[in-house]
Amino acid sequence: SQQGEEDPQALSIQEGENATMNCSYKTSINNLQWYRQNSGRGLVHLILIRSNEREKHSGRLRVTLDTSKKSSSLLITASRAADTASYFCATDALIQGAQKLVFGQGTRLTINP
Amino acid sequence: DTGVSQDPRHKITKRGQNVTFRCDPISEHNRLYWYRQTLGQGPEFLTYFQNEAQLEKSRLLSDRFSAERPKGSFSTLEIQRTEQGDSAMYLCASSPSGSVGELFFGEGSRLTVL
């Protein structure tokens, strides 16, 4: 079963607009990560935010974390056609007695030129 | 490039055949993970190794699946008597030891079972 749930499942915007994706999770965490995946390729790590952090920036990416609501958001500013990809949140969850990274179902982002 | 490499990238097989995938992690990484991803879904955890020890195996894995990491270097994932439901992308990732941080993924091995 998935730990995280992304919302929306699909998002289509015009180039230059901002894209916001949300992630909700179920259990307490040490950190939350966002990954990107181009079609048919492996996942690429974007950013990690620790449970004691509320906001983090990396280039055009801004991630927020609200542990009281068990939710996170990923904002991509000034989107580009090359940002078209699927984006996944992942949390380190204690499952079956071991810490492991559990992924959500992802948001498919399409940037229209 | 010394990233994670997986082989083969694509495998088409008939139902009932055995298949094996190989993963070469980043050389200094002690942890190695296998995930499975079906179309439109996120990666699902299968198993992971700390050096050569297999520390966890998901309940998703039936007895037809086996993974090894001899000498704590490369890893293999074997699926015996494949079924159509095994069709998926099999992703390998590695990371340094310690708490669960960034995973470095390979490009995946796509399996199609006819």
Side-chain angles (χ1 to χ4, degrees), chain A residues 25-32 49-54 64-72:
Chain A
Y25 56 92
K26 299 173 184 175
T27 65
S28 59
I29 60 172
N30 294 316
N31 66 67
L32 184 144
I49 186 166
R50 302 193 186 284
S51 60
N52 61 354
E53 297 176 311
R54 291 297 168 258
T64 62
L65 179 64
D66 187 334
T67 53
S68 66
K69 295 181 179 179
K70 292 187 169 59
S71 68
S72 173

Side-chain angles (χ1 to χ4, degrees), chain A residues 54-66:
Chain A
R54 291 297 168 258
E55 188 171 312
K56 201 162 184 179
H57 297 255
S58 177
R60 293 184 297 112
L61 305 181
R62 172 179 171 252
V63 170
T64 62
L65 179 64
D66 187 334

Side-chain angles (χ1 to χ4, degrees), chain A residues 1-2 31 33 35 37 40-43 45 48 88 92 95-106, chain B residues 9 31 35 37 40-45 48 56-59 89 91 100-103 105-108 110:
Chain A
S1 63
Q2 302 288 358
N31 66 67
Q33 305 178 39
Y35 287 78
Q37 184 180 36
R41 307 293 295 275
L43 281 78
H45 181 263
L48 180 153
F88 297 92
D92 64 321
I95 297 177
Q96 297 175 227
Q99 291 292 134
K100 54 182 65 75
L101 206 58
V102 180
F103 289 83
Q105 294 185 331
Chain B
R9 291 289 313 281
R31 289 191 172 189
Y35 283 82
Q37 185 180 28
Q41 300 296 311
E44 292 181 297
F45 171 82
Y48 89 95
E56 194 62 41
K57 188 175 177 181
S58 169
R59 296 190 185 112
M89 176 79 89
L91 294 162
V100 179
E102 176 183 354
L103 296 190
F105 280 86
E107 294 289 2
R110 180 168 295 284

